[in-house]
Amino acid sequence: MGKVIFWLGIVSLIIISIFNISWWYDVKVGCYDYLKLTGDAPNIQKADEFLTKVLDYIEKKNLTQGNSAIIFHTPSADLSIWYNQIKGAKETLEIVLQRKDASSISQLERDNALMKVREVVLDDGKEGVQVTAPPNISWFPHQGKVAWWWIFTCIFIIGGAIIWYVDFEKGY
């Protein structure tokens, strides 16, 4: 019986790992990479182009409201705050870009707009510069279910291995 439980846990581990990698990759390619490119953009036109792609992705995936936390719903996990921050950064760029006479925009204004946007989309973390995004966003809106799936998978693997070992010791 332990062998069956253990192998069910392994199959579950493989399936949940495939789902998690797929969801993470989708968010990375559609959102995180463009946020990083926005923060590193050399000019306001490029930053605006990248932010447009980010906002399209967020709206397409319906990541505009809710909370991505599993247990404690903190402001850093609030999707509407994050979404509105990004929209505000886009509006900052559009205000500068909508001027009729592009030559009247000073380099200082361009640099200030880029700096404001960079402060919104990037953070300095323990591992260097990181994209600002809510936690567990790749699992949203099913983060609770996914967390439970991981817990039960671990229980099946560990419990199955223990039962299998005990049965083996008893000679079953």
Side-chain angles (χ1 to χ4, degrees):
M1 184 62 153
K3 193 186 295 189
V4 172
I5 294 171
F6 174 79
W7 285 110
L8 283 174
I10 295 296
V11 169
S12 179
L13 176 68
I14 292 167
I15 293 169
I16 189 69
S17 295
I18 290 169
F19 276 118
N20 275 255
I21 291 167
S22 173
W23 295 331
W24 165 81
Y25 184 76
D26 181 57
V27 172
K28 179 187 180 326
V29 170
C31 187
Y32 291 169
D33 286 353
Y34 285 112
L35 283 171
K36 178 73 168 95
L37 288 170
T38 300
D40 295 340
N43 57 53
I44 55 178
Q45 291 83 2
K46 276 293 186 193
D48 185 64
E49 177 186 325
F50 295 138
L51 267 187
T52 298
K53 290 181 181 190
V54 170
L55 287 169
D56 288 346
Y57 177 86
I58 291 171
E59 290 164 358
K60 178 181 155 199
K61 295 293 185 175
N62 200 25
L63 300 173
T64 58
Q65 59 185 355
N67 200 294
S68 66
I70 295 171
I71 298 174
F72 301 110
H73 291 221
T74 62
S76 65
D78 189 310
L79 297 179
S80 62
I81 292 173
W82 176 63
Y83 173 65
N84 287 319
Q85 292 283 85
I86 293 172
K87 275 180 47 177
K90 174 104 167 94
E91 290 167 7
T92 298
L93 292 175
E94 287 174 348
I95 288 169
V96 176
L97 288 171
Q98 286 176 354
R99 293 220 184 132
K100 295 200 188 282
D101 184 14
S103 62
S104 71
I105 305 169
S106 72
Q107 189 61 42
L108 181 62
E109 286 177 291
R110 294 171 198 257
D111 291 345
N112 281 343
L114 281 175
M115 214 172 351
K116 282 181 182 179
V117 169
R118 181 177 170 79
E119 289 173 355
V120 169
V121 299
L122 299 178
D123 284 329
D124 290 320
K126 295 175 186 172
E127 300 164 8
V129 176
Q130 298 173 330
V131 170
T132 302
N136 310 312
I137 196 168
S138 63
W139 294 0
F140 185 82
H142 308 290
Q143 63 273 21
K145 293 172 188 164
V146 174
W148 279 111
W149 188 354
W150 275 108
I151 290 167
F152 283 118
T153 296
C154 292
I155 289 170
F156 268 56
I157 291 171
I158 294 167
I162 291 169
I163 294 168
W164 189 3
Y165 178 76
V166 169
D167 287 349
F168 179 76
E169 287 294 313
K170 289 182 179 178
Y172 294 133

